Amino acid sequence: MRTYWHFILVCFFFISSLSSLFAQGISMSPTRLFFYGNPGETVSLPVVLSNSSNSDYVFDVNTKDWLREEDGNKVYFEAGSLENSNAAWVSTMESSVSLPAKSNREIVVTMTIPEDASTTEVTNSMLFFTQIGKQEDFAEQQKGIGIIALFEFGLHIYCTPPNNTTKSLDIVSMEEISDENTDSVKVAIGIENDGNVVNDAQVELEFTDTDSGEDIVLNPINISMLPGAKQKVVFQLPPGIKGSYLGVAIVKMAGTNDLRVGEKTFEL
């Protein structure tokens, strides 16, 4: 497993070059591929890399496992490490991809589902396109610049058995998170995916002053959860909020009119 420090450093270098990345016009669409198939079947889907810049790029193609912790952060593992990994099922025609300037490149991603694959469990992995440094980049490093900022795209890969159709989320908790050293107050909404498909949703939180009736509507937070996953969605309350409030959490699942609503009174 990648250590947290390694992960933080990767994020630092990626974020530091992210504005440059989009300024140079490198993009990927879509960012998620959803495969549906039975054991023994082979399914293919396309992903498009676009380069509107004046530079040529080459990307290495590799896979990793990943999971999302309760706080929403992703943690990456070596391919095949996790129980529900499908990294070994995923392939592309090439192990590296050339993306010339002012061009689009369609990459066909193929999933070969094993004969003994589960007919009930959703599997997942991440397909990475990692920029390979050019000779001039390494020459600049030798001159003392020291950092080569490489770009990396992560493509989410999911495989869902065709009979999995239950889309459901459940609100399992609402709790205040206080910091004794500050006046900051946060509220964590605990959510569980008790269905059997990947579920995208928008989580909303409204606070109503039980004395004045004044409403506080917080910015919604988007989530995506694997079946069986649990996540705490944390909202920052306005500073200085005091009194008795009714908190109402609303979970709106994508692709359905079904809602989940939770209520709790908070004494702040």
Side-chain angles (χ1 to χ4, degrees), residues 113-129:
I113 306 172
E115 294 283 355
D116 60 351
S118 171
T119 57
T120 59
E121 298 296 327
V122 173
T123 57
N124 69 296
S125 62
M126 188 82 76
L127 185 66
F128 282 106
F129 296 89

Side-chain angles (χ1 to χ4, degrees), residues 8-263:
I8 290 170
L9 287 172
V10 169
C11 286
F12 171 77
F13 290 127
F14 177 72
I15 292 170
S16 66
S17 62
L18 192 59
S19 59
S20 172
L21 170 62
F22 286 104
Q24 294 179 34
I26 313 297
S27 62
M28 177 177 66
S29 180
T31 57
R32 302 189 297 178
L33 291 182
F34 291 88
F35 292 88
Y36 298 89
N38 293 303
E41 293 182 344
T42 298
V43 189
S44 296
L45 291 172
V47 61
V48 176
L49 296 180
S50 299
N51 179 9
S52 61
S53 75
N54 295 318
S55 300
D56 299 335
Y57 292 97
V58 179
F59 294 91
D60 174 63
V61 183
N62 59 91
T63 55
K64 292 287 184 183
D65 288 349
W66 65 274
L67 59 77
R68 195 184 304 274
E69 297 184 318
E70 275 203 21
D71 60 5
N73 290 326
K74 289 178 184 172
V75 181
Y76 296 94
F77 300 78
E78 291 301 318
S81 299
L82 299 184
E83 182 179 357
N84 287 338
S85 170
N86 59 29
W89 309 355
V90 179
S91 63
T92 58
M93 292 293 292
E94 302 167 277
S95 60
S96 64
V97 176
S98 297
L99 189 61
K102 307 296 183 181
S103 71
N104 297 326
R105 181 75 184 275
E106 181 178 274
I107 310 300
V108 176
V109 181
T110 299
M111 175 168 287
T112 304
I113 306 172
E115 294 283 355
D116 60 351
S118 171
T119 57
T120 59
E121 298 296 327
V122 173
T123 57
N124 69 296
S125 62
M126 188 82 76
L127 185 66
F128 282 106
F129 296 89
T130 306
Q131 181 195 349
I132 299 174
K134 295 177 288 187
Q135 189 64 40
E136 53 264 37
D137 296 327
F138 294 99
E140 288 182 356
Q141 186 188 40
Q142 291 174 357
K143 292 177 183 178
I145 295 177
I147 294 177
I148 302 175
L150 301 181
F151 309 143
E152 185 173 74
F153 294 93
L155 177 65
H156 295 77
I157 304 290
Y158 300 98
C159 182
T160 304
N163 291 331
N164 286 30
T165 58
T166 303
K167 179 174 287 190
S168 180
L169 295 177
D170 188 24
I171 298 175
V172 296
S173 65
M174 294 178 65
E175 58 184 357
E176 176 186 345
I177 304 175
S178 299
D179 187 343
E180 296 179 354
N181 299 320
T182 69
D183 293 331
S184 174
V185 178
K186 299 178 181 179
V187 171
I189 311 300
I191 299 174
E192 180 178 3
N193 184 348
D194 55 350
N196 60 12
V197 297
V198 177
N199 206 333
D200 299 332
Q202 185 178 78
V203 184
E204 301 176 358
L205 181 62
E206 300 179 3
F207 260 50
T208 301
D209 190 317
T210 57
D211 293 325
S212 68
E214 179 183 2
D215 290 329
I216 299 173
V217 181
L218 302 172
N219 292 329
I221 297 175
N222 295 320
I223 61 173
S224 181
M225 299 180 66
L226 285 159
K230 297 180 180 180
Q231 185 171 337
K232 289 189 176 180
V233 183
V234 179
F235 290 85
Q236 175 73 60
L237 300 185
I241 183 172
K242 298 292 182 183
S244 178
Y245 287 84
L246 175 64
V248 179
I250 304 171
V251 178
K252 298 179 178 179
M253 290 177 281
T256 176
N257 294 322
D258 197 8
L259 301 175
R260 297 292 184 269
V261 179
E263 297 184 354

